[in-house]
Amino acid sequence: MTPNPPAQPPSDRPPSDRPLSAAASGTPAASAPSGPPGPPVVPRATYRLQLQPAFPFAAAERAVPHLAGLGVSHLHLSPVLEAVPGSTHGYDVTDHRAVRAELGGEAGLRALAATARAHGLGLVVDLVPNHMAASPRHNHALREVLRHGRDSPYARWFDVDRSAGDGRLLLPVLPARLPEVRDRLRVEDGVLRLDGQEFPLRPGTEDLPPAALLDRQHYRLGWWRLARTELNYRRFFTVSDLIGVRVEDPEVFRETHATILRLVADGVIEGLRIDHPDGLADPQGYLERLAAATGGRCWIVVEKILTGDETLPAAWPVAGTTGYDALRLVDGVLTDPVGAAELTDVYREFTGRAGDRGGAWEATARRAAYEVVRHDLAAETSRLTREAVRLCAASPAHQDHAPWALRTAIEELLVRVPVYRPYGTGDAERLLTPGVVRGARAAFAVPEEATAVDAVRALLLGALGDSPEHAGFRARFAQTSSALRAKSTEDTAFYRYAPLLSANEVGGDPGRPAVGVEEFHAACARLARDWPATGTVLTTHDTKRSADVRAAIAVLAQCPDVWAGLLAEVAGVPAPDPHLAWTAWQTAFGFGTPDPERIGPAVLKAVREEGLRTSWTEQDPAYERAVAEFVAAGPGRVPLRAASEAAFALEPHIRAHADGAALVQLTMPGVPELYQSTEREYRALVDPDNRAPYEPGPDDGRTALVRAVLGLRRERPAAFGPGGGYTPLAAEGPAAAHCLAFARAGQVVTAVTRLSLRLAEAGGWRDTELVLPEGRWADVLDGVREFTGGPESELKLAELFADRPVALLARIRE
């Protein structure tokens, strides 16, 4: 469906300021533009589209007029290279040589780029360097490795531990143990087939008897459950269907990036989002190689998840992150810290999950980390242990450590890494503090065995050598650390600890859901100074709840008593367990309307990820049936936000939070991204719910806000770009804490209402005032009002927020 495009605003980019060679014909261009490249085009704002067979390049092309009318400068496309047929996300890359045919191929991508350019838009593309689909049928490089083994020209592509088992690559793809399926294996047309799967055969083995044929292959077929303990290739997190790629090898980098780099050189692509850089052996080395290969033509951001006060490595040649750190700041500054603590008490009493208020989250996360490192990542820790045994045996000072002791030391240090991963020996020394070492040593009953911790730490700090083998151990420890943090925190602990689900997002801290105003201002000032072109987001394809769903849930922190009352009202709907009831009802409250077809799958995913009563690999059918029946009878049927007068009265406060978050994200330092459909109210739950094909919808109040802000960003780029700065503005008066305000370059002022329910309960704004910077200021959102700034011209916040809980002001040019 083609949207009804609004009047096209003037573009600040000429429609063809960079040639799209071959765009008309759809044929690949062979050479890069001549002459030195100019600086990268920093987007004004990006709009993320989830490409898939149901929404290919042609559908995106039809949406271009509408999206250009919003005021964004770039479309941000999910991965565009060949992927497993039917994939709805594209992260399962199968062939780096070609643009995905199901989306329209390279001709379709170039046509989209040309249409976008004609409307003043560029393209940013999601690039997946870390992994490919582990599908021999579709992955040409893997297929050749399986056919020819170490003699394959692709043998260096994949991170395979040949020292494990018999040295063959294990494919854990069988639905049962080999003896149970051997009779179903067939050799047909020179390949081995089983239930729709295909495996290439080593040349000359096609006519061997079945047992000999299997033994002669360069790979070993195994039961899928063997992946947990026996897998001998690096994978994405714990997903054995995605095999790690060794882009640290210059040849592998060249071959896997040639197509994308050609499209960059041709001007088809102007920006890159780098997926999961923490999975790479050497993230900085990769990014330096990528920056050199793109010739400085690209705006590059990385999907780096920052933890606590961690900052992006200053040496990385990128514009910044994809924006999860900004999401944490925006959500946190609009969350009530006092009410969140009170809500945690209600949660503990309702669910019966013990733990003190401050330590319950940390204990939950630590328990989950132990489970994941010992169970889900057992194959990864086994590999690290084998390598540590060999390396320590070669060091006179660290010989004779028992393998179990080294494995225990590795596990204990992994669970104590306070961030996703270390980068290099200096970072490892900073993270593996004496306190971390003491905690790891305490896991040993015999002090003499605890010296294994010292040996592993010495390996990580480079004290035992700097050979390729030593560097490989350090890299794999870091890669495993990243997988452990993601799997144990995002995919496990976030589902086990749920007082306020709005805080349980990537990069978030459920134990400290609120961010203070001063902390927010300090973080924004750092972004403006150090990473002015970083990305900012509120909703992505990976957020567990869209920003509008999180806004409704976050308001509950301002009224724990209302939430407790709602739970009491629906207590007549029996739930399989109280924690499920809390999670499902809070999810339904955030979603806003009863919809079992969407709430049900999200709740089922939650209990499987939680992994306490059922899981993805050890499902409990009876429990899952009980969950489905509960959702159908309760959260999927009862309109919780209209269940009581007190609940219904929260609606304006939910809108205030959602609009405030949107305005802050669109005007804070960085390049804001709109996820598909978030130019209007958008309620979505965890994937796949949030990855549905894009469909244009009617404008609403949010759309007007988005157009106003992006129009101002287009009109005054200097206020928002590098050098735009960031100046906190402090209100004065009895309700000063409820105003979050800042100025950009002395040209734009953002002001939003914080904790509007608490504000109303305290009597409103009363005499609270905000002093604007010098000058005359126009209200951008209503286009009518004007205000005067300066120390003698205090602005009553009751007047500023008379019509809406947010305000955007622009200095009137004299």
Side-chain angles (χ1 to χ4, degrees):
M1 171 180 179
T2 303
N4 184 23
Q8 177 64 33
S11 172
D12 61 342
R13 298 176 50 195
S16 53
D17 59 342
R18 188 172 293 162
L20 290 180
S21 52
S25 65
T27 57
S31 60
S34 60
V41 176
V42 176
R44 177 171 61 248
T46 62
Y47 192 98
R48 169 79 176 207
L49 290 170
Q50 289 299 112
L51 300 172
Q52 51 193 289
F55 189 84
F57 297 133
E61 194 174 351
R62 291 191 293 272
V64 163
H66 166 69
L67 302 180
L70 294 175
V72 300
S73 65
H74 286 71
L75 304 184
H76 175 192
L77 307 180
S78 59
V80 300
L81 297 179
E82 278 291 2
V84 172
S87 173
T88 57
H89 52 78
Y91 290 95
D92 44 0
V93 177
T94 58
D95 192 342
H96 296 89
R97 299 171 300 183
V99 176
R100 190 175 177 186
E102 286 183 302
L103 302 180
E106 186 165 332
L109 177 60
R110 287 179 176 273
L112 170 59
T115 298
R117 180 60 53 87
H119 287 77
L121 305 181
L123 298 186
V124 174
V125 166
D126 199 337
L127 181 59
V128 188
N130 179 69
H131 51 267
M132 298 180 71
S135 169
R137 181 176 183 179
H138 303 111
N139 184 333
H140 78 98
L142 179 61
R143 187 166 59 247
E144 291 304 302
V145 171
L146 299 181
R147 178 179 287 117
H148 298 291
R150 302 186 196 195
D151 293 331
S152 167
Y154 298 100
R156 62 199 301 170
W157 275 42
F158 305 108
D159 191 356
V160 181
D161 180 14
R162 299 289 185 179
S163 70
D166 61 7
R168 295 187 294 168
L169 192 153
L170 172 66
L171 294 180
V173 295
L174 301 181
R177 293 181 177 87
L178 181 59
E180 300 174 38
V181 300
R182 184 179 283 116
D183 292 344
R184 289 153 50 191
L185 291 167
R186 295 285 185 273
V187 175
E188 299 174 352
D189 302 323
V191 299
L192 186 64
R193 301 183 190 275
L194 173 68
D195 301 340
Q197 299 186 82
E198 295 181 1
F199 309 97
L201 292 174
R202 185 175 184 174
T205 65
E206 297 87 346
D207 298 325
L208 292 174
L213 181 146
L214 291 175
D215 287 342
R216 289 290 307 280
Q217 301 311 311
H218 294 293
Y219 56 88
R220 178 168 69 93
L221 297 181
W223 187 27
W224 66 270
R225 287 190 180 275
L226 292 178
R228 183 177 68 80
T229 56
E230 309 302 316
L231 196 73
N232 63 343
Y233 60 80
R234 184 172 64 84
R235 55 186 167 171
F236 171 71
F237 296 167
T238 59
V239 182
S240 302
D241 291 341
L242 298 173
I243 185 170
V245 179
R246 298 183 61 252
V247 291
E248 64 269 22
D249 185 301
E251 180 181 326
V252 177
F253 177 91
R254 284 194 299 272
E255 295 189 25
T256 56
H257 287 65
T259 296
I260 289 292
L261 292 174
R262 174 168 52 79
L263 292 168
V264 169
D266 288 352
V268 175
I269 295 173
E270 292 185 347
L272 294 170
R273 171 201 185 266
I274 307 304
D275 182 69
H276 188 45
D278 275 352
L280 305 179
D282 179 11
Q284 181 172 326
Y286 167 79
L287 293 169
E288 289 172 345
R289 185 173 287 120
L290 181 65
T294 58
R297 296 180 179 89
C298 268
W299 175 74
I300 298 175
V301 290
V302 289
E303 188 200 23
K304 167 60 190 171
I305 314 303
L306 301 173
T307 303
D309 59 358
E310 181 186 17
T311 57
L312 192 65
W316 285 13
V318 298
T321 73
T322 56
Y324 286 112
D325 44 323
L327 185 157
R328 153 76 173 149
L329 289 171
V330 176
D331 277 12
V333 79
L334 299 178
T335 297
D336 180 4
V338 175
E342 295 171 357
L343 194 68
T344 300
D345 291 337
V346 178
Y347 166 78
R348 188 168 61 249
E349 181 178 354
F350 182 89
T351 63
R353 297 201 172 182
D356 62 272
R357 179 185 295 168
W361 161 246
E362 289 79 4
T364 300
R366 179 62 59 84
R367 283 193 297 270
Y370 274 121
E371 291 175 22
V372 171
V373 78
R374 292 170 177 170
H375 186 273
D376 304 78
L377 294 174
E380 284 75 7
T381 52
S382 291
R383 180 176 183 178
L384 286 170
T385 301
R386 289 192 296 272
E387 294 179 354
V389 168
R390 290 197 299 270
L391 294 172
C392 286
S395 171
H398 291 285
Q399 293 173 340
D400 288 341
H401 285 293
W404 72 263
L406 289 171
R407 183 185 189 110
T408 300
I410 289 167
E411 293 172 349
E412 292 294 332
L413 289 174
L414 279 170
V415 300
R416 287 173 170 78
V417 175
V419 294
Y420 273 70
R421 61 167 284 173
Y423 303 105
T425 55
D427 205 30
E429 184 171 15
R430 179 181 63 84
L431 296 172
L432 301 179
T433 63
V436 167
V437 172
R438 283 194 300 272
R441 290 173 63 95
F444 291 82
V446 179
E448 290 81 2
E449 298 284 7
T451 57
V453 174
D454 303 321
V456 173
R457 185 175 184 272
L459 281 172
L460 295 174
L461 269 56
L464 302 192
D466 201 29
S467 69
E469 290 76 16
H470 288 88
F473 176 84
R474 293 194 296 269
R476 274 182 279 283
F477 181 94
Q479 290 167 313
T480 304
S481 174
S482 170
L484 171 61
R485 183 82 181 201
K487 183 63 182 174
S488 65
T489 302
E490 299 169 27
D491 293 345
T492 306
F494 275 6
Y495 291 97
R496 295 182 179 181
Y497 184 85
L500 190 66
L501 287 173
S502 57
N504 294 23
E505 285 296 346
V506 177
D509 183 354
R512 194 174 74 92
V515 170
V517 172
E518 294 305 317
E519 180 183 354
F520 174 87
H521 285 318
C524 285
R526 285 194 298 272
L527 289 178
R529 181 191 67 211
D530 300 335
W531 304 100
T534 189
T536 70
V537 296
L538 287 182
T539 300
T540 76
H541 63 290
D542 278 333
T543 45
K544 292 174 171 55
R545 298 154 198 92
S546 65
D548 284 299
V549 173
R550 297 198 311 275
I553 295 172
V555 166
L556 296 176
Q558 299 179 55
C559 54
D561 54 335
V562 173
W563 176 241
L566 285 173
L567 290 178
E569 289 188 29
V570 297
V573 183
D577 63 76
H579 189 265
L580 167 67
W582 179 283
T583 300
W585 284 118
Q586 205 171 93
T587 298
F589 183 88
F591 194 69
T593 56
D595 190 338
E597 298 302 316
R598 296 180 67 184
I599 295 173
V603 173
L604 177 60
K605 182 170 185 173
V607 296
R608 286 179 175 173
E609 296 281 25
E610 183 186 26
L612 297 178
R613 297 284 298 275
T614 188
S615 71
W616 295 106
T617 56
E618 284 84 31
Q619 295 174 15
D620 183 334
Y623 178 75
E624 293 189 0
R625 281 195 301 273
V627 170
E629 292 168 359
F630 165 66
V631 172
R637 184 183 63 84
V638 177
L640 196 59
R641 273 160 62 172
S644 70
E645 184 177 341
F648 184 75
L650 297 179
E651 290 299 327
H653 304 293
I654 294 171
R655 289 194 297 274
H657 182 117
D659 287 347
L663 180 56
V664 170
Q665 185 246 342
L666 290 169
T667 56
M668 69 186 290
V671 175
E673 171 151 294
L674 292 171
Y675 186 65
Q676 59 182 29
S677 299
T678 58
E679 70 270 24
R680 55 186 179 273
E681 184 180 22
Y682 174 69
R683 301 179 189 179
L685 302 175
V686 69
D687 69 276
D689 187 70
N690 59 3
R691 298 183 183 180
Y694 171 72
E695 293 183 3
D699 291 355
D700 62 10
R702 180 74 51 73
T703 315
L705 186 150
V706 167
R707 285 202 176 102
V709 178
L710 296 186
L712 187 62
R713 292 185 73 105
R714 179 177 56 242
E715 178 188 340
R716 304 194 184 190
F720 297 98
Y726 179 90
T727 304
L729 299 179
E732 296 182 357
H738 292 281
C739 177
L740 175 71
F742 54 85
R744 304 297 312 277
Q747 296 295 313
V748 175
V749 167
T750 292
V752 304
T753 303
R754 292 182 67 241
L755 317 181
S756 62
L757 177 59
R758 296 291 201 194
L759 172 66
E761 292 173 341
W765 292 110
R766 292 161 284 169
D767 294 328
T768 308
E769 299 172 334
L770 179 68
V771 176
L772 298 175
E774 291 278 0
R776 292 169 53 237
W777 297 85
D779 186 330
V780 176
L781 299 182
D782 75 3
V784 175
R785 298 188 302 170
E786 293 186 5
F787 305 98
T788 301
E792 305 301 322
S793 303
E794 294 91 350
L795 173 60
K796 299 290 186 183
L797 289 181
E799 177 187 357
L800 180 65
F801 296 127
D803 298 325
R804 57 181 63 86
V806 300
L808 178 65
L809 309 180
R811 182 191 292 275
I812 298 173
R813 292 168 173 164
E814 302 297 340

